[in-house]
């Protein structure tokens, strides 16, 4: 009796007709690409999500699945290059673009593509560009000028970036809260310019790991001038010494509100 009752109450997780249909489009994408432009936004959203997760997005099909009210665009495992980014229409609702490269460096996107992206998306708030090795200071400057609401920015591994990028962020990005500048060419002077900017009062997370030019001065500036900083990562920075750890301890002792969530460093 108990077994029969359990079987009667069993709910089978069957895919909906909508899920089956969108999966069918992806299985024969080449046959459906031309009709993607005519589909309703809700269908484009579902297809775009699947194409993003499976790495199917290219310069040729990207515009066919975009729609004006799109808020998030994941290009992290796509084949999109500068060519695709330079063709983007005005996307006023787009708030997040993920161009992180997870496994190896991405050389398909350069400053030219990023500049086109930020001009097409004036309300961009989150931009991830990790390991996009052809991105330069010029792109960061244009981003800061064109996207005033930027609050999360990841350029870890973009090794062409210098203090000029931090100067631009300090000058223009007044809403910036999270910043990853690991493995770049920044120096203490760049950190000083960032901390002198208005974003210093909002910065909660800074990752500057593997920045080989930084010294204790960079850490001291951040902990003194960024009162709400909660995550600070400076591992593999060979010029940073034990003095930075001492400065952090002094901050904890001098302020009841100086509670860090994560601190990471390497002692040489």
């Amino acid at each position: 009796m108990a077994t029969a009752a359990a079987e009667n109450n069993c709910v089978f997780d069957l895919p909906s007709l909508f899920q089956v249909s969108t999966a069918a489009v992806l299985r024969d994408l080449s046959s459906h690409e031309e009709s993607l432009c005519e589909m309703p936004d809700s269908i484009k959203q579902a297809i775009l999500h699947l194409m993003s997760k499976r790495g199917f997005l290219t310069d040729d099909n990207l515009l066919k699945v975009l729609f004006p009210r799109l808020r998030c665009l994941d290009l992290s495992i796509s084949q999109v290059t500068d060519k695709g980014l330079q063709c983007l229409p005005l996307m006023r609702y787009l708030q997040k673009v993920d161009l992180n490269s997870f496994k190896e460096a991405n050389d398909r996107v350069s400053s030219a593509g990023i500049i086109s992206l930020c001009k097409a998306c004036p309300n961009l708030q989150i931009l991830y560009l990790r390991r996009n090795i052809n991105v330069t200071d010029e792109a960061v400057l244009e981003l800061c000028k064109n996207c005033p609401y930027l609050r999360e920015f990841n350029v870890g591994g973009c090794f062409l970036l210098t203090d000029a990028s931090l100067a631009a962020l300090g000058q223009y990005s007044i809403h910036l809260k999270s910043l990853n500048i690991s493995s770049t060419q920044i120096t203490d002077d760049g950190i000083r310019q960032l901390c002198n900017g208005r974003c210093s009062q909002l910065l909660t997370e800074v990752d500057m790991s593997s920045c080989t030019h930084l010294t204790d001065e960079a850490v001291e500036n951040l902990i003194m001038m960024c009162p709400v900083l909660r995550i600070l990562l400076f591992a593999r920075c060979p010029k940073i010494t034990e003095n930075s750890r001492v400065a952090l301890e002094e901050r904890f002792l001098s302020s009841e509100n100086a509670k860090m969530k994560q601190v990471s460093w390497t002692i040489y």
Side-chain angles (χ1 to χ4, degrees), residues 73-124:
L73 180 59
D74 186 352
L75 301 174
S76 58
I77 58 172
S78 74
Q79 301 302 311
V80 172
T81 70
D82 281 350
K83 178 183 176 182
L85 296 178
Q86 289 171 331
C87 294
L88 287 177
L90 185 62
M91 305 285 291
R92 291 193 178 278
Y93 291 89
L94 195 61
Q95 296 180 0
K96 177 180 178 180
V97 176
D98 187 347
L99 270 162
N100 275 347
S101 182
F102 292 98
K103 294 183 179 180
E104 55 189 26
N106 179 17
D107 59 1
R108 298 184 301 274
V109 172
S110 71
S111 291
I114 300 305
I115 291 172
S116 296
L117 170 69
C118 66
K119 289 182 177 180
C121 311
N123 294 308
L124 198 63

Side-chain angles (χ1 to χ4, degrees), residues 4 41 45 90 100 132 163 180 196 199 247 254 259:
D41 291 353
Q45 176 78 71
L90 185 62
N100 275 347
N132 282 253
D163 291 341
N180 185 332
N196 282 330
C199 66
S254 63
K259 295 180 179 179

Side-chain angles (χ1 to χ4, degrees), residues 75-77 97-109 114 127-135 153-159 161 180-184 205 207:
L75 301 174
S76 58
I77 58 172
V97 176
D98 187 347
L99 270 162
N100 275 347
S101 182
F102 292 98
K103 294 183 179 180
E104 55 189 26
N106 179 17
D107 59 1
R108 298 184 301 274
V109 172
I114 300 305
L127 180 60
Y128 298 152
L129 297 174
R130 186 171 60 194
R131 297 195 188 97
N132 282 253
I133 58 174
N134 290 327
V135 172
F153 191 36
N154 186 339
V155 284
C158 299
F159 56 78
L161 298 185
N180 185 332
I181 45 176
S182 59
S183 300
T184 60
E205 177 178 354
D207 184 349

